[in-house]
Amino acid sequence: MIQPDPAIGDAFTDLAVGEFCTDYATARERFVAAATAAGAKLRSYAHPLAGPRGEILSCDTAWVGPPDAPRVLVLISGSHGVEGFAGAGPQIDWLKRAGAHGLPDGCACLLVHGINPHGFAWWRRTTEEGVDLNRNFVDFAAGVPANPGYGELADAFVTPDLEEATLVAAEDRMAAYRERHGEAAYLTARGSGQYTHPGGLFYGGLAPSWARATSERIIADWTLAGRAVAVVDFHTGLGPYAYGELIAGADPHEPAAARLRAWYGPTLTEPLRGGSIIVPQYGMAHLGWGRLVGPGLTFAYLEFGTRSPKVMQRALCADHWLHAQGTPDWDAPLTRGIKAQMMDAYLPARDDWKEMVIARCRQVVRQALVGLCGQ
């Protein structure tokens, strides 16, 4: 019988899978080290709170390339906290593999590591305020959107306990809602954003979060307004396993949408046209970026699938329930079990998933830079 050669596995595994980790402090250390080695200019934004083991939290930014470049590629990780582990891997990969010599003339790259560092460190999707950052960029002075469907299912999305019977009953209620109203209405009720249940899923908040305010500071501090700016915001949790769907951050009639279609081709989806893994959502980041950067903004979300919708729903339900009880004991068995669910839901441990993410991110970065050069 022929014995497998362990070296064969190494030969077929992209070394960049080693850039992924599951510890916030390690991810931050690796990012800063890679940025420093690449000759990047660093600027950090200290968070007022600490991580679960007292870690210092910060959103770290790194600028590679000419400071006055008319075209800037922006790569963002950690908008949804725990998803930052998957986004940081491609950021570090780019810094080590490409860096300044991978930039065309007239282009720079700004890497934003951990825009929501609190969620990143605590393995949460939300910010410290319990806010979904990608529902937080609304004009609060004009009032918040209504989502009555969410209210009908709020205690099914986040149950009062985690008993199996309670979870099954909640799933039956969600199925009944889909049967009555259709899948699109259910997805809108669940995921479009809600502003009435602070402990619930996809809560947009009632005021700008720290992470939103920091995003606005980053745009100002790096003088992005008026430039041609291409943003790729890394996300995980929706769609087929390891498939990277590009989602347009623009209304279909806008010039930015036409650029997105030209740059990324048929893999781009547009929620307002249907066919996307997401429904139209309130308060998404591209709205806030667009107001500050201007018409030169071309914003895309890159979403990588992980687990089934049922697995994702249960992980989110458990995590929201856990934090509703107060600050969790990080070392308690219940906490560790729920957090392990969250990590598995947003960063599968398999190398094949990581390899596919790295390959797709390299492709999208190349497409973005080619598109920027033609803008």
Side-chain angles (χ1 to χ4, degrees):
M1 179 178 178
I2 298 174
Q3 297 296 320
D5 183 351
I8 293 177
D10 294 338
F12 283 92
T13 299
D14 191 316
L15 295 178
V17 302
E19 307 301 352
F20 295 90
C21 67
T22 58
D23 173 74
Y24 166 77
T26 301
R28 184 184 181 211
E29 179 183 343
R30 290 181 180 180
F31 175 81
V32 171
T36 301
K41 181 179 180 182
L42 291 161
R43 178 175 285 151
S44 297
Y45 299 81
H47 193 280
L49 301 178
R53 299 194 188 283
E55 303 96 327
I56 294 173
L57 304 182
S58 174
C59 171
D60 299 292
T61 61
W63 182 281
V64 179
D68 58 349
R71 300 175 181 85
V72 184
L73 172 65
V74 180
L75 305 177
I76 302 175
S77 70
S79 296
H80 288 146
V82 66
E83 300 174 27
F85 294 105
Q91 288 180 319
I92 296 169
D93 173 62
W94 184 85
L95 285 165
K96 289 186 173 182
R97 187 182 58 86
H101 66 271
L103 290 170
D105 290 343
C107 289
C109 182
L110 174 64
L111 300 102
V112 180
H113 180 268
I115 186 61
N116 168 17
H118 192 271
F120 201 160
W122 285 89
W123 297 11
R124 298 210 71 195
R125 195 175 177 279
T126 69
T127 67
E128 67 277 10
E129 302 97 342
V131 164
D132 183 322
L133 179 58
N134 233 7
R135 310 293 186 279
N136 188 234
F137 287 86
V138 299
D139 180 0
F140 289 103
V144 296
N147 184 356
Y150 187 91
E152 186 175 335
L153 292 171
D155 60 350
F157 293 139
V158 180
T159 54
D161 60 66
L162 300 180
E163 297 296 327
E164 182 65 18
T166 303
L167 297 174
V168 171
E171 288 160 1
D172 289 344
R173 285 181 57 199
M174 289 183 259
Y177 188 96
R178 287 196 296 269
E179 182 68 24
R180 291 195 308 273
H181 301 287
E183 187 69 14
Y186 167 76
L187 293 175
T188 296
R190 181 179 183 272
S192 63
Q194 55 88 12
Y195 300 81
T196 53
H197 293 74
L201 306 185
F202 312 114
Y203 176 60
L206 297 177
S209 63
W210 180 92
R212 171 179 165 175
T214 302
S215 298
E216 293 167 351
R217 286 180 60 196
I218 288 168
I219 293 168
D221 289 349
W222 292 109
T223 61
L224 298 180
R227 306 199 208 199
V229 175
V231 176
V232 180
D233 189 5
F234 299 120
H235 291 267
T236 69
L238 291 174
Y241 181 83
Y243 178 77
E245 179 176 325
L246 273 165
I247 302 168
D251 288 347
H253 65 277
E254 295 176 344
R259 289 197 297 271
L260 285 162
R261 294 178 206 125
W263 293 9
Y264 299 117
T267 65
L268 180 83
T269 65
E270 299 178 67
L272 290 173
R273 286 185 157 189
S276 175
I277 195 64
I278 69 168
V279 295
Q281 297 171 353
Y282 305 120
M284 294 182 74
H286 70 272
L287 300 172
W289 277 71
R291 286 191 289 268
L292 296 177
V293 172
L297 178 71
T298 309
F299 198 116
Y301 304 89
L302 182 53
E303 179 82 42
F304 288 97
T306 53
R307 304 302 186 192
S308 70
K310 179 178 178 179
V311 168
M312 303 305 295
Q313 168 59 33
R314 286 204 171 194
L316 280 174
C317 173
D319 191 64
H320 280 260
W321 176 88
L322 176 68
H323 285 267
Q325 315 311 306
T327 302
D329 176 355
W330 196 246
D331 294 313
L334 177 62
T335 301
R336 300 312 300 163
I338 289 173
K339 293 303 179 180
Q341 282 183 272
M342 285 293 287
M343 185 59 70
D344 178 70
Y346 290 98
L347 182 70
R350 291 178 58 91
D351 282 351
D352 60 356
W353 189 89
K354 297 171 185 175
E355 289 165 353
M356 292 171 73
V357 168
I358 288 290
R360 177 66 164 143
C361 289
R362 290 175 180 176
Q363 179 187 58
V364 169
V365 166
R366 178 188 60 77
Q367 291 174 308
L369 287 171
V370 171
L372 266 177
C373 287
Q375 184 175 342

